[in-house]
């Protein structure tokens, strides 16, 4: 090898490129143990010492990249070693060999992905220069790289960094028409929402993808199962009720192991500890994340002085699943009881009376539970659905609900309903005052 390199160095400039390039296939077809050293020697001559100039170096590197991509080196480990050492050699002169370096990074990312080194493959792709002034990369190619990085990071459960690259991809999605890569992007959307605990959004997207015919049947079943899981973990309320209804009416969910929990959630049945434990075994680590209780909630949870030592000592839910189940059981109990004491609700939810009151108060404030709290008698009164509230087009008849979907009713009809309700409320107040003798109505005179 050294003798040939010395011989080629003495050639005319126009003959150097073909001469050095002819060495590349010769080097790569040698016995595997000697390939890395000979490649290193060749690159040291044409890249590091620059014996033929940048044109010769680019020609040699392009041929090397091409043969590596064609699988000329059969040994997996040797091929990976050659790619890594080549990247290391050209790194100080990356501006001059940007295209070749990017191609090598794609090849190395493929190798690492085959080895299930997700974070390693993602880091290699992050090193690809997509916005350099030396070459122009189309939006479609950038989008594919970003989506691939997101997918790899999510496999490693690095949702924070994945969201950064997802946001970059989202800026380009409007210009993409390729169906396959768009489906991958939508799956990344659902998974990021899942990791970010936006469970309602994740459930809707998983369910939508489970109907796509281009996706493998087993994958669609997995997405349907993920949709059910996210719907169960979502905050209780009318928005979740709509998602649960959509999933419950899907005939395919009856075959899932989580169908029992789904049906009980949809039918507003109280969930038992054994059912919760069984469902908990199907969850992923991020879905079992611990949640913190604010100092104000902790203080409110121990504010009652009627503790006789038999009530629970828990001051709030400890996990996302805990919170979802407690809120569901609270909502389900509102369909069973007209009212319930703080102590009784605490026994039902396995919370202190104060913590039970705090949870009910928050759900009432957020429009996810209809009722009011009597702190003197330590009672929570539940209010059933009213026909006039349903006429307003509000979700689940709960009145003003945060982020409720627009029903599309004409604004004039809504205004008329509001006037009718206001008049009815005024009449009810006057009637109550009259019955208590606080006011008297004068008869109308002609």
């Amino acid at each position: 090898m050294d003798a040939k390199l010395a011989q080629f160095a003495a050639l005319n400039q126009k003959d150097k490129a073909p001469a050095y390039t002819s060495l590349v296939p010769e080097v790569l077809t040698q016995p595997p143990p000697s390939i890395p050293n000979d490649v290193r020697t060749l690159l040291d001559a044409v890249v590091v010492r620059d014996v033929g100039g940048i044109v010769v170096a680019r020609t040699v590197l392009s041929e090397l990249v091409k043969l590596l991509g064609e699988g000329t080196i059969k040994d997996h480990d040797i091929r990976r070693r050659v790619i890594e050492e080549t990247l290391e050699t050209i790194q100080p002169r990356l501006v001059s060999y940007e295209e070749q370096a990017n191609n090598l990074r794609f090849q190395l990312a493929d190798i690492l992905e085959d080895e299930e080194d997700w974070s390693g493959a993602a880091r290699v792709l992050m090193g690809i220069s997509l916005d350099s002034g030396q070459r122009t990369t189309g939006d479609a190619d950038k989008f594919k790289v970003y989506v691939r990085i997101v997918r790899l990071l999510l496999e490693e459960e690095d949702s924070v960094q994945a969201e950064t690259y997802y946001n970059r991809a989202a800026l380009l999605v409007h210009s993409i028409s390729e169906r396959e890569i768009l489906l991958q992007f939508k799956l990344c959307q659902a998974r990021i929402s899942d990791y970010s605990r936006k469970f309602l959004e994740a459930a809707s997207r998983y369910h939508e993808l489970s109907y796509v015919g281009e996706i493998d049947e087993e994958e669609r079943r997995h997405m349907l199962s993920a949709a059910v899981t996210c719907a169960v973990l979502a905050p209780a309320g009318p928005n979740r009720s709509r998602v649960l209804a959509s999933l419950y009416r899907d005939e395919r969910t009856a075959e899932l192991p989580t169908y029992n929990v789904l049906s009980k959630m949809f039918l507003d049945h109280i969930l038992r500890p054994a059912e919760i434990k069984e469902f908990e075994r199907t969850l992923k680590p991020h879905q079992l994340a611990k949640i913190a209780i604010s100092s104000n909630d902790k203080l409110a949870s121990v504010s009652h002085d009627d503790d006789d030592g038999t009530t629970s000592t828990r001051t709030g839910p400890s996990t996302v699943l805990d919170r979802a189940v407690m809120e569901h059981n609270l909502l389900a109990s509102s369909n069973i009881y007209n009212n319930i004491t703080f102590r009784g609700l605490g026994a039902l939810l396995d919370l202190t009376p104060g913590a039970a009151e705090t949870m009910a108060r928050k759900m009432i404030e957020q429009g996810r539970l209809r009722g009011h709290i009597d702190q003197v008698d330590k009672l929570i009164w539940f209010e059933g659905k009213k026909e006039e509230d349903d006429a307003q087009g509000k979700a689940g008849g709960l009145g003003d609900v945060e982020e409720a979907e627009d029903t599309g009713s004409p604004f004039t009809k809504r205004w008329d309903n509001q006037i009718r309700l206001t008049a009815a409320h005024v009449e009810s107040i006057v009637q109550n005052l009259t019955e208590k003798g606080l006011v008297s109505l004068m008869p109308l005179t002609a």
Side-chain angles (χ1 to χ4, degrees):
M1 173 62 70
D2 291 335
K4 288 184 178 180
L5 291 175
Q7 179 184 351
F8 293 160
L11 295 174
N12 295 328
Q13 186 64 29
K14 65 177 182 179
D15 297 326
K16 286 183 178 180
Y20 284 113
T21 304
S22 66
L23 285 177
V24 178
E26 181 181 329
V27 168
L28 298 185
T29 53
Q30 293 183 97
S34 62
I35 293 177
N37 291 332
D38 286 346
V39 170
R40 194 183 308 113
T41 302
L42 176 60
L43 294 179
D44 181 68
V46 299
V47 175
V48 178
R49 290 188 282 120
D50 198 18
V51 293
I54 192 170
V55 174
V56 173
R58 282 178 177 169
T59 305
V60 172
L61 279 173
S62 297
E63 182 68 12
L64 177 62
V65 170
K66 174 189 170 185
L67 294 178
L68 286 171
E70 292 174 353
T72 303
I73 301 177
K74 304 301 181 184
D75 189 290
H76 182 86
D77 293 332
I78 295 295
R79 180 169 174 250
R80 173 178 172 176
R81 181 180 168 187
V82 168
I83 293 174
E84 290 176 339
E85 291 182 354
T86 301
L87 282 170
E88 185 179 346
T89 300
I90 63 178
Q91 185 62 35
R93 299 168 177 80
L94 188 59
V95 175
S96 302
Y97 311 111
E98 189 176 283
E99 183 177 355
Q100 292 79 8
N102 287 351
N103 288 333
L104 287 173
R105 284 186 174 277
F106 280 120
Q107 293 184 31
L108 182 56
D110 291 338
I111 293 173
L112 294 173
E113 190 171 349
D114 289 340
E115 295 176 353
E116 298 187 0
D117 183 1
W118 315 118
S119 60
R123 285 195 301 271
V124 168
L125 291 174
M126 289 176 195
I128 293 176
S129 179
L130 298 175
D131 299 310
S132 169
Q134 301 294 321
R135 57 193 296 271
T136 303
T137 305
D139 287 349
D141 293 331
K142 289 182 183 179
F143 185 79
K144 290 178 181 179
V145 173
Y146 291 147
V147 170
R148 186 176 178 187
I149 291 173
V150 172
R151 181 173 56 80
L152 290 168
L153 290 171
L154 288 175
E155 289 293 335
E156 196 66 22
E157 299 192 355
D158 185 357
S159 60
V160 176
Q161 197 166 14
E163 190 166 2
T164 300
Y165 284 88
Y166 163 78
N167 291 334
R168 295 184 187 181
L171 297 174
L172 304 173
V173 69
H174 64 279
S175 61
I176 307 303
S177 57
E178 189 177 335
R179 177 73 170 167
E180 182 180 353
I181 192 66
L182 284 174
L183 288 176
Q184 291 182 19
F185 176 74
K186 288 183 178 180
L187 178 57
C188 289
Q189 277 184 317
R191 294 182 66 185
I192 286 177
S193 297
D194 187 354
Y195 278 100
S196 303
R197 299 184 193 172
K198 300 175 183 176
F199 292 119
L200 276 179
E201 185 179 331
S204 298
R205 285 175 171 164
Y206 278 132
H207 196 203
E208 178 187 350
L209 287 169
S210 72
Y211 284 112
V212 178
E214 293 95 327
I215 299 176
D216 181 72
E217 178 66 28
E218 186 62 29
E219 285 295 319
R220 280 189 284 150
R221 177 184 169 87
H222 176 74
M223 291 175 190
L224 182 63
S225 178
V228 171
T229 298
C230 289
V232 169
L233 294 174
N239 292 333
R240 188 189 68 164
S241 296
R242 283 192 289 272
V243 176
L244 289 174
S246 177
L247 290 166
Y248 183 76
R249 295 188 182 104
D250 191 327
E251 297 177 354
R252 301 172 297 166
T253 57
E255 302 173 0
L256 299 176
T258 52
Y259 179 73
N260 180 49
V261 173
L262 169 65
S263 62
K264 285 205 166 189
M265 285 269 187
F266 173 70
L267 298 172
D268 285 335
H269 294 172
I270 291 177
L271 288 168
R272 303 300 177 188
E275 296 166 332
I276 299 168
K277 285 292 183 185
E278 183 179 353
F279 177 76
E280 187 176 8
R281 287 195 289 268
T282 67
L283 299 182
K284 296 179 180 178
H286 72 274
Q287 294 168 336
L288 291 170
K290 301 290 183 181
I291 56 177
I293 305 174
S294 70
S295 57
N296 288 338
D297 287 349
K298 286 183 179 179
L299 182 62
S301 300
V302 295
S303 61
H304 295 278
D305 55 1
D306 58 351
D307 185 8
D308 57 2
T310 62
T311 58
S312 172
T313 58
R314 295 182 67 190
T315 56
S318 58
T319 65
V320 174
L321 177 61
D322 264 352
R323 181 174 59 191
V325 171
M326 288 178 185
E327 290 182 350
H328 166 76
N329 285 343
L330 175 53
L331 202 59
S333 66
S334 71
N335 296 324
I336 301 173
Y337 304 105
N338 290 326
N339 59 59
I340 190 171
T341 64
F342 296 169
R343 182 186 295 277
L345 184 59
L348 179 65
L349 302 181
D350 189 23
L351 292 174
T352 64
E357 180 204 359
T358 299
M359 179 169 287
R361 172 177 53 78
K362 284 185 174 181
M363 292 183 67
I364 292 171
E365 287 174 351
Q366 295 167 1
R368 297 190 286 133
L369 176 68
R370 174 176 288 282
H372 63 274
I373 297 176
D374 184 343
Q375 290 187 320
V376 175
D377 293 331
K378 299 183 180 179
L379 281 173
I380 299 172
W381 290 85
F382 300 117
E383 301 174 11
K385 297 178 182 178
K386 296 182 181 179
E387 183 179 352
E388 61 267 26
D389 290 329
D390 290 335
Q392 292 184 40
K394 301 299 183 181
L398 293 183
D400 291 326
V401 178
E402 293 182 358
E403 299 181 359
E405 293 180 357
D406 190 352
T407 60
S409 300
F411 289 102
T412 54
K413 183 177 178 181
R414 295 187 191 178
W415 181 250
D416 290 342
N417 284 333
Q418 292 286 358
I419 294 174
R420 178 170 61 84
L421 287 173
T422 302
H425 290 156
V426 171
E427 183 179 353
S428 176
I429 291 170
V430 172
Q431 184 179 352
N432 288 334
L433 293 174
T434 302
E435 291 174 354
K436 293 180 180 181
L438 298 177
V439 296
S440 61
L441 298 178
M442 298 297 294
L444 294 175
T445 58

